[in-house]
Amino acid sequence: CRLFAPQELCPPVLREIYATIQGTIDAKFNADQEDIAQFTVVNSFLFLRLIVPAILSPTIFQLMPNFPPEWTSRTLTLVGKSVQNLANFSYFPAKDSYMKPVNGLISDNIDGIKGFYSSLAKAGGSNSDRNGPEVWLERNLSLVHEWMRLHHQDLRSKVDISDDLYKRIMQACHIVLVS
């Protein structure tokens, strides 16, 4: 089971931020490689602020078009708790007996998450990585384009936007997306 994507999939700007913060922490506190506290920075930024919220609220991150049904939300909550515990190197306590089976998965992947954190913090973003931001721009423009296409009536009722301006925005997004 492979839980950790290659650090290259993380945007270069985020890798650079993690590397800078981790370097500052290491210099200030002389972090030991075995000290779990050294991973807290990447954990806090990546898992606590990005990954787990995306699992818990997929509609906010535009991973799903609508709010999931209640039973799916409950499953996503359990997955989010499991991922967060793995990210924190913590096991489920006895009071969460229904989650105890996940402790084996956490235990089996502690070294993997440490390696993942280390690779992110050491990778940083290089200048060659910065030659590809249009990939992120294209994704963001495609999201804007799709949102405007789906909600154009609502948008027009709330914002004074002429037909001409609306068409020009949509055409600009389309040109960038197909080029």
Side-chain angles (χ1 to χ4, degrees):
C1 173
R2 182 174 170 98
L3 296 177
F4 313 107
Q7 52 86 11
E8 292 84 15
L9 295 179
C10 184
V13 172
L14 286 179
R15 292 196 327 255
E16 206 169 296
I17 290 169
Y18 298 144
T20 301
I21 293 172
Q22 192 64 50
T24 303
I25 299 278
D26 290 347
K28 184 168 182 150
F29 298 105
N30 196 16
D32 179 8
Q33 288 300 324
E34 292 302 313
D35 184 13
I36 290 187
Q38 72 169 324
F39 301 112
T40 302
V41 172
V42 175
N43 167 22
S44 296
F45 280 98
L46 184 63
F47 285 91
L48 193 59
R49 300 287 180 224
L50 296 174
I51 294 175
V52 173
I55 292 169
L56 297 177
S57 303
T59 51
I60 293 173
F61 289 80
Q62 297 184 345
L63 299 172
M64 293 179 72
N66 301 312
F67 289 107
E70 187 176 329
W71 61 270
T72 302
S73 291
R74 177 67 180 145
T75 301
L76 292 174
T77 299
L78 297 176
V79 169
K81 285 177 74 167
S82 300
V83 169
Q84 191 63 51
N85 274 23
L86 174 60
N88 290 333
F89 308 106
S90 61
Y91 298 98
F92 286 98
K95 70 176 186 143
D96 291 331
S97 60
Y98 61 96
M99 294 299 288
K100 293 280 272 187
V102 178
N103 286 343
L105 179 75
I106 293 170
S107 181
D108 291 346
N109 287 284
I110 293 285
D111 289 338
I113 192 81
K114 285 181 181 178
F116 178 70
Y117 287 154
S118 294
S119 71
L120 278 180
K122 290 179 182 158
S126 68
N127 288 338
S128 63
D129 289 337
R130 296 202 177 235
N131 291 336
E134 53 274 348
V135 172
W136 299 102
L137 175 63
E138 288 174 354
R139 182 179 186 286
N140 290 335
L141 278 175
S142 70
L143 291 172
V144 168
H145 184 271
E146 182 65 8
W147 185 88
M148 287 182 71
R149 188 183 67 75
L150 293 172
H151 302 284
H152 72 276
Q153 295 295 341
D154 206 26
L155 177 67
R156 287 182 178 180
S157 71
K158 292 179 182 173
V159 179
D160 186 22
I161 184 171
S162 69
D163 287 343
D164 183 54
L165 178 58
Y166 175 79
K167 287 178 185 174
R168 289 190 324 195
I169 292 170
M170 294 299 281
Q171 286 172 341
C173 288
H174 184 73
I175 289 168
V176 171
L177 293 173
V178 296
S179 61

